[in-house]
Amino acid sequence: MNTIFDHKLAKGVGGLLPALDVPEQGIEKLVPSSLRRTHAPRIPNLSEPELVRHYTHLSKVNYGIDDGFYPLGSCTMKYNPKINEDLARLPGFANAHPLADEDLIQGSLKLLYEASRYLCGIAGLVEVTLQPAAGAHGELTGMFLVKRYFEERGEEKRKRILLPDSAHGTNPSSATIAGFSVTEIPSGKDGMINLATLEEALDDTVAAIMLTVPNTLGIFEERILEVTAMVHAAGGLCYFDGANLNAFLGRARPGDMGADIFHFNLHKTLSTPHGGGGPGSGPVAVAQSLVDFLPVPRIVKDKNRYRLDWNSPHSIGCIHSFYGNFGVILKAYAYLLLLGDTGLREVSENAVLNANYLQESLKQTYPLPYERLCKHEFVLSGKGLGEGISALDIAKRLIDYGFHPPTIYFPLIVPEALMIEPTECEGKETLDRFIEAMERIAAEAKENPRLLHEAPQYAPVRRLDQTRAARQPILTYPFNER
Ligand SMILES: *Cc1c(COP(=O)(O)O)cnc(C)c1O
């Protein structure tokens, strides 16, 4: 297309395909007839304005962090500076070929190396791999490290992973996929690990404990030093799930608490938009005793030159192609430079302040089963609010008030759980509007429960069959011809 405006686009011929740029002859050989279409695809014939309207409409029936408050607990749906997207798109970074010679990508290697150093500083651990693509992938990597550690020590009988009953579902999955069995430890009445229960579970078949700090109730394990010391004394390792790092960013370090392995969720804590399933990153930091087992290649610095080191005979191998999701790591790096240590401390301070403000206000109206000073999030119960009212009803009604619902039914130890995480980015006005909506919903639950059962009333779609929406999503146009 040479002109800036092609009249055909306004008249409904759909998109214009670029001209064929390979020889037409010989195509028989390149694409066997069995793989070729027998009839044209059913692509709607729309003009450019119609197409623009279609996508603009779709963007309006969606809800994102740029629309409003998004208190999805455990997900840390915080503001991610838009400028980081521009940085990740800089051609020098975005177009670098992953197989390029080291000499040509010194800048990218330097960025990865320095990002690793910052992450180690935050974790209080000595080395990190940037390869894992998400938190769950980091967990799996961590479990492989644990396995290799005990193999090298000839302690293969250590086959059990201890997990508090408040753990995220990915924890037992990762442990199981890596070949371990899982022993669940019930939480105490205070929502924390009970030391006597832990003592009972510990023996010489335990490989590691997996802990989320603060835990998924938003409560910091006050006896964390005792917990990790007990596991270490029994010969086990301590894995920390770092999904909740926003709660103590720049204030405390997992390494100082006894963690041997710690995963980051860069897409939660360090500036990558998520929620749509886009690329994530779950770097794994380790203590000295596990460094030799880290994935290859490792990025090392010799004087002023950076290179990839494949020479690591005890490594668990590669767990991602090349070096991980570079663009995500780049955004985390930019975010760290932008905020610096003072900024990071402000993040955790405001995240905790906002969560406690909401918790204190909402516990007047909603049951709060584990009542304590919370960290970045807290968990209410939707139980007993009104005739047949469930957490799902409350969540759906919040949509009518213009809010994204919180996480529901997790953690499993709270009945009708409503897990609320405001993040540091929200102002008091937003929090107050949310409190007001939650209070009105609690009143409606008593006076007119139908309003909740039938919610949402004002959303583009009413209540969906959630299982079918997840298992058989209709993702293609036209929607009505299925
Ligand atoms: C999000 C989360 C995970 C998994 O992380 P992903 O990046 O989504 O794979 C693990 N544990 C906890 C506590 C989480 O909140």
Side-chain angles (χ1 to χ4, degrees):
M1 203 189 348
N2 298 324
T3 52
I4 38 171
F5 177 73
D6 189 305
H7 71 284
K8 281 190 227 146
L9 288 178
K11 286 203 307 205
V13 296
L16 296 180
L17 295 175
L20 186 67
D21 61 355
V22 291
E24 211 162 329
Q25 272 119 13
I27 213 142
E28 290 291 320
K29 268 199 216 137
L30 287 172
V31 187
S33 58
S34 64
L35 293 179
R36 260 175 288 142
R37 286 186 171 282
T38 52
H39 43 261
R42 289 191 320 120
I43 295 174
N45 235 358
L46 297 175
S47 67
E48 185 181 304
E50 284 170 323
L51 205 62
V52 170
R53 285 176 194 158
H54 171 70
Y55 284 110
T56 306
H57 167 71
L58 286 185
S59 77
K60 286 184 187 166
V61 294
N62 214 338
Y63 188 97
I65 189 77
D66 293 338
D67 290 292
F69 189 40
Y70 210 127
L72 200 60
S74 214
C75 289
T76 312
M77 299 299 289
K78 62 200 256 183
Y79 169 69
N80 303 294
K82 299 289 182 256
I83 190 172
N84 289 351
E85 299 301 318
D86 291 343
L87 298 180
R89 274 189 215 108
L90 286 175
F93 288 126
N95 299 341
H97 196 282
L99 289 173
D101 191 87
E102 282 168 15
D103 286 330
L104 297 175
I105 50 162
Q106 282 295 304
S108 298
L109 292 179
K110 177 178 179 186
L111 187 149
L112 292 174
Y113 180 84
E114 291 191 351
S116 316
R117 296 332 307 155
Y118 287 140
L119 294 180
C120 285
I122 290 170
L125 291 163
V126 300
E127 252 323 329
V128 70
T129 172
L130 302 173
Q131 282 185 28
H137 197 200
E139 292 167 29
L140 185 65
T141 307
M143 289 296 102
F144 285 151
L145 294 171
V146 170
K147 202 169 163 192
R148 177 55 54 88
Y149 174 86
F150 287 115
E151 276 167 11
E152 299 260 337
R153 296 167 65 92
E155 293 186 69
E156 277 98 343
K157 66 178 173 191
R158 293 193 179 263
K159 280 278 181 237
R160 284 164 64 220
I161 299 290
L162 306 184
L163 268 173
D165 56 4
S166 55
H168 192 265
T170 51
N171 291 183
S173 311
S174 303
T176 308
I177 293 172
F180 292 105
S181 69
V182 167
T183 305
E184 190 175 278
I185 320 184
S187 305
K189 283 207 176 63
D190 55 5
M192 294 185 277
I193 290 178
N194 180 294
L195 296 186
T197 320
L198 175 65
E199 186 67 59
E200 256 168 59
L202 280 171
D203 62 23
D204 62 1
T205 63
V206 170
I209 190 168
M210 280 181 104
L211 293 168
T212 303
V213 185
N215 67 25
T216 60
L217 294 165
I219 298 173
F220 189 83
E221 299 282 349
E222 286 168 10
R223 297 175 288 270
I224 190 72
L225 293 176
E226 282 105 308
V227 169
T228 53
M230 281 166 67
V231 176
H232 285 150
L237 293 170
C238 297
Y239 182 101
F240 280 27
D241 176 328
N244 294 342
L245 176 60
N246 221 42
F248 62 94
L249 196 56
R251 292 176 179 274
R253 305 188 305 170
D256 299 334
M257 299 177 211
D260 300 293
I261 311 176
F262 174 78
H263 87 241
F264 293 82
N265 299 60
L266 297 189
H267 47 286
K268 288 180 181 171
T269 321
L270 299 173
S271 178
T272 278
H274 64 118
S281 177
V284 173
V286 297
Q288 193 60 47
S289 57
L290 292 144
V291 170
D292 288 347
F293 314 128
L294 282 174
V296 281
R298 281 163 54 194
I299 296 144
V300 293
K301 184 180 179 190
D302 302 327
K303 290 216 178 104
N304 288 324
R305 191 173 180 280
Y306 300 86
R307 67 179 171 85
L308 299 168
D309 186 3
W310 291 87
N311 181 18
S312 189
H314 301 279
S315 163
I316 59 166
C318 276
I319 45 99
H320 190 284
S321 52
F322 304 108
Y323 329 110
N325 286 333
F326 182 78
V328 179
I329 300 160
L330 187 160
K331 284 182 258 185
Y333 178 73
Y335 186 76
L336 290 173
L337 289 184
L338 181 73
L339 269 70
D341 30 336
T342 325
L344 294 183
R345 274 196 287 275
E346 263 173 50
V347 165
S348 43
E349 179 172 348
N350 288 329
V352 172
L353 180 64
N354 278 357
N356 279 285
Y357 180 65
L358 280 187
Q359 178 178 260
E360 284 307 299
S361 310
L362 289 174
K363 77 177 190 195
Q364 322 291 339
T365 330
Y366 288 79
L368 175 66
Y370 295 93
E371 187 173 350
R372 282 197 103 71
L373 180 81
C374 68
K375 289 292 176 244
H376 64 304
E377 68 192 359
F378 58 98
V379 186
L380 300 172
S381 173
K383 204 174 163 176
L385 229 64
E387 189 62 31
I389 296 293
S390 64
L392 183 70
D393 294 327
I394 297 163
K396 295 295 183 193
R397 186 64 179 152
L398 267 171
I399 297 175
D400 282 337
Y401 283 97
F403 293 107
H404 192 285
T407 297
I408 52 176
Y409 300 112
F410 175 68
L412 304 175
I413 54 176
V414 173
E416 301 298 325
L418 296 157
M419 185 195 216
I420 300 171
E421 177 178 9
T423 88
E424 73 279 9
C425 308
E426 304 301 336
K428 185 167 176 296
E429 293 77 8
T430 303
L431 301 182
D432 285 338
R433 277 196 301 116
F434 180 73
I435 293 165
E436 197 190 322
M438 287 290 282
E439 286 170 349
R440 280 165 70 171
I441 291 170
E444 288 170 354
K446 292 192 179 62
E447 291 150 17
N448 191 359
R450 250 189 62 198
L451 274 179
L452 276 73
H453 293 316
E454 289 175 6
Q457 319 252 7
Y458 308 121
V461 289
R462 300 291 298 274
R463 204 173 288 203
L464 295 171
D465 176 340
Q466 306 210 101
T467 315
R468 209 155 64 84
R471 300 240 163 102
Q472 300 163 10
I474 300 169
L475 302 171
T476 49
Y477 184 96
F479 307 106
N480 50 6
E481 277 189 29
R482 278 293 178 94

